């Protein structure tokens, strides 16, 4: 069956942390969902748990074509281009999305194949430092931001009703698993992701290395500040490379800002008397703004874990007049949208 | 009453997060503990909760002298020198310790007043981003590392039995509130703290600022990696300044290492193709070593929150022959000690 809000079955290619968790949530919501996993052991585990999963790609794509499913590419960037070719061959009319953490590179690959009138990019801002089917879980996307791109609407003379339908389905899928949908074009998405995800990974790795360089006494003295700042350094290095190297241009901009701030801090720390006033004040204010935006304020957290975020909300109908302008407006505000 | 392990009452000067939490834990353990707080409202709150607390410094010190209490300076570095003078005047024979996060500066102030034969430095590696009596809690020090310094043992021709007794009492006090005692001299302590605490604060502030610079969309897209890397940027800026500026020399060493790593990463990210392989691999290995040391491994965490750390343990008796060599050995290993 399909749920009332998503008009098609969903076919997920790649059942790692993101794809597997999406499969679990859609299944739990009663939506028809099936998937493919390259690793036979992962596929077997999923089947044993009662999911409709195969380790055969082509029959899965043929079934997606037959059922007019929405295809979700839940594979690393390095596997995207080959899968796009397979979709072109075996499911040539299906709408599809992806969940890769960089969006410009995927959109470029889609455009290179002329597939943009059935593609809607997306990126759920959720994850843990674990990976693979074994790390997948229900509820991973609850209250997470799920970015949906809309570049095709801006770039094309005219988008098809088919594309508008796919766009709405991707939004509804994200909402069905509890996410807040934030629209953004690939460029602004990648610039923001460099600042709030990829740069923090580089800083975490650096903190971990400098701490470790201090030897046994340093590691013994490491407490909660070290634990939290370095947590994402525990991410599998291949995943860190994929997201950072796939977004190198935007990440260089963010990294250069960080280097300038740290170099200035170094200069102020080397004066007599030393001062880190500017950094401490600015960093504190920035952190408070982040807490206000996400609703992760400290006093609030202790009251209720179920609060909603403080992101503004816009209600909109895909395809209505001026929806392109509404989407740009939402992107500028970092607003979440509800579609009807 | 005094508990069997600590031979004196404890007098705590300053009842903020650390001093207040220590008061709560020692009181809960049935040990005689009293305190002073400069803020009358904080003192009143503590009295209302049934604690033996005063807002009058001199009578508190006179009582400490009378009862031969162990005095704990739980005030910021900026208030230490004046308090040392007050102790010299009103409690001229009492042993004392401090809990300031930088140790060289305190030791220098103690030596400048010739008070080192009754001083033992200490630093509990525990805290939250909150401060003040209102933030104090029981159990804050459970499984935390509590550093105890021993420079006087190395610097003096001969230490007094009185000093050895104070040293043992400080160890027992830390153990009584559930901490793991790690001995370290002030220089190695400050070098390690720069790496695992002060530098992570600078990197967290930087991450917060660069994320915030991206505006509304960036803050909307910030997820768990940003939340954790920037958490300590929520620390009150005055506290960040006190610890970083009070440890400027050691922090410069750590910051220069971080800048070199980030600059090299920038170079590798600007090549074609971009690569962050070296950083991602090294950071991942460093984080795993930290997890192994603290026992905060990811799979272990889900099994039991009560595990002990993987720090080596040395049992020793303060004053026994060669205990200076044992302490140096423990410092090198980052080992915790149990005194008897």
């Amino acid at each position: 069956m399909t749920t009332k809000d998503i008009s098609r079955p969903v076919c997920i290619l790649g059942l790692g942390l993101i794809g597997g968790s999406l499969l679990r949530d859609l299944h739990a919501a009663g939506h028809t969902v099936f998937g493919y996993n390259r690793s036979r052991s992962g596929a077997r585990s999923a089947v044993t748990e009662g999911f409709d999963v195969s380790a055969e790609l082509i029959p899965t794509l043929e079934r997606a074509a037959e059922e007019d499913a929405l295809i979700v590419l839940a594979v690393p960037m390095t596997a995207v281009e080959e899968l796009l070719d397979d979709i072109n061959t075996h499911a040539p009319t299906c709408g599809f999305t992806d969940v890769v953490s960089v969006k410009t590179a995927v959109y470029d690959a889609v455009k290179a194949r002329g597939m943009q009138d059935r593609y809607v990019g997306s990126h759920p801002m959720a994850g843990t430092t674990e990976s693979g089917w074994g790390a997948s879980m229900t509820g991973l996307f609850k209250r997470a931001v799920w970015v949906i791109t809309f570049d095709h609407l801006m770039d094309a003379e005219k988008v098809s009703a088919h594309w508008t339908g796919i766009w709405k389905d991707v939004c509804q899928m994200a909402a069905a698993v509890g996410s807040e949908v934030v629209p953004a074009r690939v460029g602004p998405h990648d610039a923001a992701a460099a600042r709030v995800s990829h740069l923090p990974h580089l800083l975490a790795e650096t903190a971990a290395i400098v701490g470790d360089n201090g030897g046994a006494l340093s590691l013994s003295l490491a407490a909660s500040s070290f634990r939290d700042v370095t947590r994402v350094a525990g991410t599998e290095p291949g995943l860190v490379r994929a997201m950072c190297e796939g977004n190198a241009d935007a990440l260089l901009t963010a990294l250069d800002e960080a280097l300038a701030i740290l170099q200035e801090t170094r200069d102020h720390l080397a004066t007599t008397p030393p001062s880190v006033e500017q950094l401490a004040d600015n960093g504190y204010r920035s952190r408070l703004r982040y807490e206000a935006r996400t609703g992760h304020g400290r006093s609030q957290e202790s009251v209720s874990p179920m609060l909603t975020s403080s992101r503004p909300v816009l209600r909109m109908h895909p395809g209505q007049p001026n929806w392109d302008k509404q989407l740009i407006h939402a992107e500028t505000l970092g607003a979440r949208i509800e579609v009807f």
Side-chain angles (χ1 to χ4, degrees), chain A:
Chain A
M1 61 174 265
T2 58
T3 55
K4 73 177 191 329
D5 293 328
I6 318 174
S7 66
R8 299 166 169 80
V10 173
C11 167
I12 303 173
L13 306 180
L15 301 173
L17 172 65
I18 300 294
S21 297
L22 182 60
L23 180 82
R24 289 179 187 279
D25 279 353
L26 290 174
H27 182 82
H31 194 77
T32 299
V33 56
F34 57 98
Y36 153 78
N37 198 47
R38 196 180 57 166
S39 142
R40 289 188 179 274
S41 68
R44 252 196 318 271
S45 300
V47 169
T48 306
E49 289 190 56
F51 295 105
D52 187 357
V53 165
S54 161
E56 302 297 334
L57 177 60
I58 292 168
T60 304
L61 288 174
E62 287 169 348
R63 177 177 167 194
E66 243 165 65
E67 301 184 13
D68 188 28
L70 172 68
I71 297 173
V72 180
L73 281 78
V75 296
M77 184 62 220
T78 46
V80 163
E81 302 210 45
E82 200 180 326
L83 264 192
L84 288 177
D85 291 333
D86 291 329
I87 291 172
N88 235 347
T89 306
H90 301 286
T93 60
C94 283
F96 63 98
T97 185
D98 75 297
V99 294
V100 176
S101 65
V102 293
K103 301 263 58 78
T104 304
V106 178
Y107 188 49
D108 287 347
V110 167
K111 282 191 294 188
R113 288 162 180 78
M115 298 167 82
Q116 59 268 40
D117 197 47
R118 54 195 182 103
Y119 168 71
V120 172
S122 83
H123 179 208
M125 310 292 289
T128 69
T129 54
E130 306 291 326
S131 53
W133 168 259
S136 69
M137 62 182 78
T138 54
L140 180 66
F141 307 107
K142 188 127 190 105
R143 295 197 65 243
V145 164
W146 195 308
V147 174
I148 315 264
T149 69
F150 57 95
D151 298 69
H152 181 51
L153 182 63
M154 314 304 293
D155 296 346
E157 297 255 327
K158 187 176 183 321
V159 299
S160 65
H162 183 224
W163 185 83
T164 303
I166 296 162
W167 199 88
K168 184 175 174 185
D169 273 345
V170 176
C171 288
Q172 299 289 36
M173 180 178 75
V177 298
S179 289
E180 298 191 356
V181 173
V182 174
R185 287 165 296 172
V186 299
H189 167 278
D190 286 355
R195 288 177 185 278
V196 298
S197 171
H198 307 156
L199 177 68
H201 274 84
L202 299 187
L203 296 174
E205 310 275 11
T206 302
I209 294 167
V210 177
D212 188 23
N213 284 351
L217 181 63
S218 280
L219 291 183
S220 259
L221 264 51
S224 61
S225 56
F226 189 79
R227 179 196 65 206
D228 289 354
V229 169
T230 66
R231 182 184 64 82
V232 295
T235 309
E236 204 274 300
L239 297 177
V240 176
R241 291 188 62 184
M243 62 190 177
C244 292
E245 295 168 3
N247 195 22
D249 288 346
L251 182 51
L252 273 172
T253 301
L255 178 53
D256 283 343
E257 276 185 34
L259 278 164
I261 292 168
L262 288 169
Q263 187 59 54
E264 194 177 6
T265 300
R266 195 227 178 270
D267 295 343
H268 293 167
L269 197 60
T271 58
T272 306
S275 171
V276 297
E277 180 175 13
Q278 186 179 314
L279 181 77
D281 285 352
N282 290 345
Y284 181 67
R285 280 197 296 267
S286 290
R287 170 71 192 187
L288 293 192
R289 276 192 285 271
Y290 156 73
E291 290 178 1
R293 162 67 41 149
T294 58
H296 278 108
R298 281 162 286 176
S299 52
Q300 289 172 37
E301 236 170 12
S302 59
V303 176
S304 161
M306 293 299 290
L307 50 103
T308 56
S309 79
S310 309
R311 296 176 190 100
V313 189
L314 301 178
R315 273 177 61 77
M316 60 181 299
H317 182 65
Q320 77 192 11
N322 289 323
W323 74 300
D324 53 343
K325 293 190 183 61
Q326 290 182 298
L327 288 169
I328 293 284
H329 185 55
E331 177 192 272
T332 307
L333 296 176
R336 60 195 174 97
I337 58 169
E338 290 174 6
V339 302
F340 61 94

